Structure formats: C-alpha cells, structure tokens
Amino acid sequence: MSHKTHANQFTKFLEYVVGRRPDEFGLIPDHEGFLKTKDLIRAINEEDGWRHIRLVHIHEVFLKDPDPPFEITESLIRAKNRDLLSGYKPCENPPKLLYGWIRKKAYPTVFQNGLIPSAYPFVLLTKEKDFALRLGRRMDQEPIILTVMVQNCLDNGMTFQEYGDLFLSDFIPVDCFTGPPIPKEREKAKSKEKPAQKPSDQAGSFFLNMENALEKDKSFKKKGKHEGPSWKQDRKRVRQEKERY
C-alpha cells in the first residue's frame, strides 16, 4: 500500500470517527461538536492498523488537503459537517443494566458518595461490560467496573440520555450500583513503644568518683619526686658526708 493510499484511508477513517460515530469509540463531542484530540488519538490507537497514529498524522491531513473535512485547534477537533452525528436524545427505554467505570483509587469514595461526572459533564455508561472495561482502561490499567441498576435509578428520580451507543446520566446514587467488594485496608502494625531507659552512668557523661580520686591523689604524693621518704634519707646522708670532710 502506498503512502498516499494509506493517508487517504486514514482521512476517511478519521472522518467517520469524528463526524459520524464517535460513540462507537467511546467518545462524545461537546455541544459544539468538538472532541479532545488526546482522547481521539487514544481511541484510534486501540484499533488495528492505526496504533501508530500520533497528533502529527492528524496535522498531515490538514497540510495535504486544501479543504480538509475537519476544524482543529490546539487541543480540539471537530467535523465541518456534523449533520450525521447521533446527537443527544432522551432515553425512553433504557436497558435494565448499564456499566460504568472508575479509577481503582477512586472506588472507596464512589462507594460512599455515588458516581459523579469526571471527564465529561455527565456520567458515561455502556450496555456492554467489555466495552466499559475497554474505556476504563484508558484511564486505569485495572479499572473498577460498576453495574448500574437502571430501575433503581429511575425510582430515585434519575434520568438518562442516549448518544448513539452510550448512555448518560447526571448522577448515580450509592444504592443504584454494585461493584466488587472494597479491599480491606491493611492494618498498619503499630510500632512497639520501647520503655524509656534510664541514662547510663557512663553514656555521654563522665562522673567523678571523689573517693577514688582522693586515694589516687594521696598515692601520687607518696610517689612524687620531692616528697618520697627514701629521697629524704638520701639527702640527709649526703649532707652528713660533706660535713665530715
């Protein structure tokens, strides 16, 4: 396949994703039709044959086509013709079960407070668990998949919208979804407090034993050069010998 042919195929594929069925790839444009380019690239990279695509490849479409079918800003892209987009509509007959996804570290908070919007201004849900897992892995290698009981939501006054294959809600209350059990936090072993030890008599200080010191002082005087008894006797003997002569 030539480079030109491959580029043309990518342009057509991009036009389908951005301008027709972004929902098939877990994407929803805002009310002006824009998608985030980083989200678009992440979704495209999941498809066989397009795993190599980067932002530079999207820019090449604009460089080679004098009238590209897209509009692009620094971080957003949309199709010029948006008539084929699914659009938002009320969901009159939702499935009994829907599936949502969250980051693993957010699960304890969601378990206590309910599921609220994060990346979008609404909670994104799918009717297929595998699709939910695929979308969840875009933000976490081990996402938590939640099973939403739709009737419970309706009984609590929640409503749903559809956007192609995706379902949207403002909020999912705590008693309207189930998930895996929350792992118990490992109890941190309390460090055993060591009893306070009395400072050693010899650690870090020098204490003078006065009794031993006095004994040593007396011993030194007895053995000194000028006060030992043998020295006095020798001196007296020398003086007596001088007087004889």
Side-chain angles (χ1 to χ4, degrees):
M1 182 186 301
S2 67
H3 178 74
K4 184 177 180 180
T5 302
H6 188 270
N8 290 337
Q9 287 185 351
F10 175 62
T11 301
K12 292 180 180 179
F13 175 66
L14 192 61
E15 188 175 3
Y16 179 81
V17 177
V18 177
R20 296 189 181 187
R21 295 300 306 273
D23 54 285
E24 286 188 13
F25 305 87
L27 302 171
I28 293 183
D30 63 20
H31 287 283
E32 294 182 348
F34 282 106
L35 294 171
K36 293 181 180 179
T37 52
K38 65 177 183 179
D39 293 341
L40 174 63
I41 293 170
R42 190 179 293 117
I44 290 174
N45 290 160
E46 295 174 350
E47 302 297 319
D48 292 337
W50 306 114
R51 301 184 188 277
H52 66 286
I53 293 298
R54 300 293 181 268
L55 183 59
V56 64
H57 297 99
I58 295 177
H59 284 299
E60 284 181 0
V61 174
F62 289 83
L63 294 174
K64 295 178 179 180
D65 191 339
D67 185 24
F70 314 106
E71 298 173 357
I72 192 168
T73 67
E74 292 182 358
S75 60
L76 300 173
I77 186 172
R78 71 177 179 180
K80 290 180 178 178
N81 180 9
R82 297 181 291 280
D83 295 337
L84 299 177
L85 289 172
S86 298
Y88 299 87
K89 61 181 180 180
C91 184
E92 299 179 356
N93 188 26
K96 293 182 179 180
L97 298 177
L98 291 171
Y99 300 95
W101 55 94
I102 56 173
R103 288 184 174 88
K104 190 174 183 179
K105 66 179 181 180
Y107 188 34
T109 301
V110 172
F111 188 84
Q112 292 181 356
N113 303 322
L115 186 57
I116 61 175
S118 56
Y120 291 93
F122 28 69
V123 177
L124 258 170
L125 304 166
T126 71
K127 59 184 177 181
E128 296 177 358
K129 191 172 184 179
D130 289 343
F131 193 27
L133 181 60
R134 171 185 169 181
L135 301 184
R137 283 177 174 165
R138 292 179 185 175
M139 61 182 182
D140 193 326
Q141 290 298 315
E142 296 181 356
I144 298 296
I145 304 301
L146 304 176
T147 302
V148 177
M149 297 167 287
V150 174
Q151 189 58 50
N152 286 25
C153 292
L154 298 176
D155 293 342
N156 279 272
M158 301 296 103
T159 59
F160 294 91
Q161 294 185 74
E162 288 182 82
Y163 191 97
D165 290 340
L166 297 175
F167 297 82
L168 322 172
S169 181
D170 294 329
F171 175 66
I172 305 297
V174 172
D175 58 349
C176 294
F177 66 83
T178 60
I182 295 180
K184 295 181 179 179
E185 294 183 359
R186 295 181 179 179
E187 297 182 359
K188 296 181 179 179
K190 295 182 179 180
S191 57
K192 296 181 180 179
E193 297 182 359
K194 296 182 179 180
Q197 296 181 353
K198 294 182 178 180
S200 172
D201 291 342
Q202 297 179 354
S205 301
F206 175 76
F207 298 93
L208 181 63
N209 189 322
M210 296 302 297
E211 185 177 352
N212 291 342
L214 290 174
E215 291 295 331
K216 291 180 179 180
D217 184 60
K218 291 178 181 179
S219 174
F220 176 79
K221 289 181 178 181
K222 290 180 180 180
K223 299 179 181 180
K225 293 182 179 179
H226 301 290
E227 298 188 19
S230 60
W231 180 85
K232 290 181 178 181
Q233 292 177 1
D234 292 341
R235 183 179 180 184
K236 185 177 181 180
R237 186 175 59 254
V238 171
R239 187 171 59 248
Q240 291 175 350
E241 290 180 351
K242 286 182 179 180
E243 290 176 353
R244 291 179 185 173
Y245 297 98

